[in-house]
Amino acid sequence: MTATLYAYAFLDEFVLLYPVYALLFADRGLSVGQISSLFVLWSLTGVLLEIPSGAWADAVSRRLLLWIGPLLGAAGFALWVLVPSYWAFAAGFVLWGARGALSSGALEALVYEELDRVGAADRYARVMGRAHAVGQAAVMSATGLAGPVFAAGGYPAVGAASVLACLLCAAAATRFPEHRTPAAERHESWAATLRAGLADVHRDRRVLGAVLLVPAVTAVWGALDEYTSLLVRETGVPDAAVPYLLMVIWAGVTAGSLLSGRAERLGGTGLAALLAGAALALAAGALTERPAGVVLVALAFGGFQLATVLADVRLQQRIEGTGRATVTSVAGLGTELLTIAVYGAYGVLGSSFAHGTVFAVCAVPYLVTALAVVRRGRGGGRRG
């Protein structure tokens, strides 16, 4: 299962369009506001499909959703390079949003329960951390290749490579083991599965707290990732060098993933310190407006990635019912809603301020989250 997971994680992120698609939009005359509107549409698609797809994964087959999703992504990327226009970009983001919704919740639930089946649930943090690291290594590999491929064939070449990666990802997903009995075979309807998952969130305050932590940690830096190429370009480097500086950022993210196994026992105070330190590094690196500041941004993104994995681990450990994918998708819904807010704010601020300034402003929510984690931990200690 882990070998299939790592192959899936690599191919899912080995998309040469990632480091240049914001540049593609800008080169086709889209403003920062229009680009942000595409990101909002992307997240809105996730909002509409996140929880229904999680319940579908619990009711039918998680593996089924994991191979359908990449096929939708392939169709979206093909649209971008074949008919590059605002509406083609919008349609591509709808397909990409559907792809993300289908895998969100389904992947985590499948991996956790397959590990638990063989008595290895305690390895979840390490396995998922390595999977994230493999995915980030794929991002760095794709980023490194994007430069020469783009120089040789432009956007059509990087688009064709991206479509191929999606098709291979779908093929890899068919190799996932799945030993659970779907709800449909237990004569439970999709609606009943959905209600059961939502009831788990409502009934257990520990689960609710873990669900809320996921978007608080994940959403802001996940949204900022879409603007990193514009931030790097603002430092004055030529476009051909942008992918290489993005590789520095993703090296930091990869390091954060690899540390997740060792940091699994990090308490509330440690998590708060991690978030606060990453926030300060993000603000300082972005405000330098120099290529050297990218190193601090990479350090910040590494901290946020580590916190993201730890938040997911806490959530999976607290879920006890059969609606694991549904509950995980509730957390994903919260992430999508908060991400939309970040995109909207970025679209407004980015029209008046430099990208470095907007990145620094977006570090503030992490300081607030760090304070909330500390206060919750102290409150929990008193009640205990």
Side-chain angles (χ1 to χ4, degrees), residues 20-32 34-35 38-39 89 155 229-230 233 239 355:
V20 298
Y21 68 75
L23 304 182
L24 168 64
F25 303 156
D27 290 344
R28 291 301 182 272
L30 273 63
S31 66
V32 173
Q34 287 177 311
I35 294 174
L38 292 174
F39 295 155
F89 297 150
Y155 292 115
S229 60
L230 300 177
R233 173 189 265 180
D239 286 355
H355 292 288

Side-chain angles (χ1 to χ4, degrees), residues 77-358:
F77 295 149
L79 276 176
W80 285 1
V81 295
L82 292 177
V83 283
S85 64
Y86 180 84
W87 295 110
F89 297 150
F93 270 117
V94 169
L95 291 169
W96 195 1
R99 169 192 181 173
L102 291 179
S103 62
S104 175
L107 180 64
E108 294 86 351
L110 185 148
V111 172
Y112 189 89
E113 291 189 356
E114 288 298 318
L115 288 173
D116 188 49
R117 185 181 65 87
V118 296
D122 59 333
R123 295 187 60 198
Y124 178 78
R126 183 175 302 174
V127 168
M128 289 303 291
R130 289 175 178 174
H132 283 292
V134 168
Q136 283 125 28
V139 171
M140 289 190 291
S141 300
T143 300
L145 286 173
V149 172
F150 180 79
Y155 292 115
V158 294
S162 301
V163 169
L164 177 60
C166 291
L167 297 177
L168 293 175
C169 182
T174 63
R175 306 300 302 168
F176 273 118
E178 188 173 20
H179 293 87
R180 59 184 288 274
T181 302
E185 295 183 16
R186 300 194 303 267
H187 305 292
E188 298 177 11
S189 66
W190 171 85
T193 303
L194 176 60
R195 287 194 299 269
L198 296 178
D200 288 341
V201 177
H202 183 266
R203 180 175 55 251
D204 192 333
R205 293 185 64 185
R206 294 174 69 250
V207 174
L208 177 60
V211 165
L212 294 176
L213 181 63
V214 170
V217 169
T218 307
V220 177
W221 84 274
L224 290 180
D225 175 47
E226 307 305 325
Y227 300 96
T228 50
S229 60
L230 300 177
L231 176 70
V232 171
R233 173 189 265 180
E234 194 175 67
T235 64
V237 299
D239 286 355
V242 169
Y244 301 110
L245 285 177
L246 292 179
M247 289 178 65
V248 175
I249 295 177
W250 281 100
V253 177
T254 303
S257 296
L258 292 175
L259 289 172
S260 57
R262 296 182 180 181
E264 183 178 2
R265 298 182 183 277
L266 200 64
T269 302
L271 179 60
L274 174 65
L275 291 172
L280 294 175
L282 176 65
L287 289 174
T288 63
E289 297 185 353
R290 297 179 180 274
V294 173
V295 176
L296 286 175
V297 176
L299 180 63
F301 272 41
F304 295 142
Q305 172 61 23
L306 174 57
T308 295
V309 176
L310 296 179
D312 175 49
V313 171
R314 292 187 181 199
L315 176 60
Q316 298 303 325
Q317 290 174 342
R318 284 162 173 73
I319 300 173
E320 297 179 354
T322 59
R324 182 174 300 276
T326 304
V327 175
T328 306
S329 290
V330 172
L333 173 62
T335 300
E336 294 292 350
L337 289 172
L338 187 53
T339 299
I340 290 173
V342 177
Y343 288 150
Y346 202 107
V348 173
L349 295 174
S351 300
S352 304
F353 300 97
H355 292 288
T357 301
V358 182

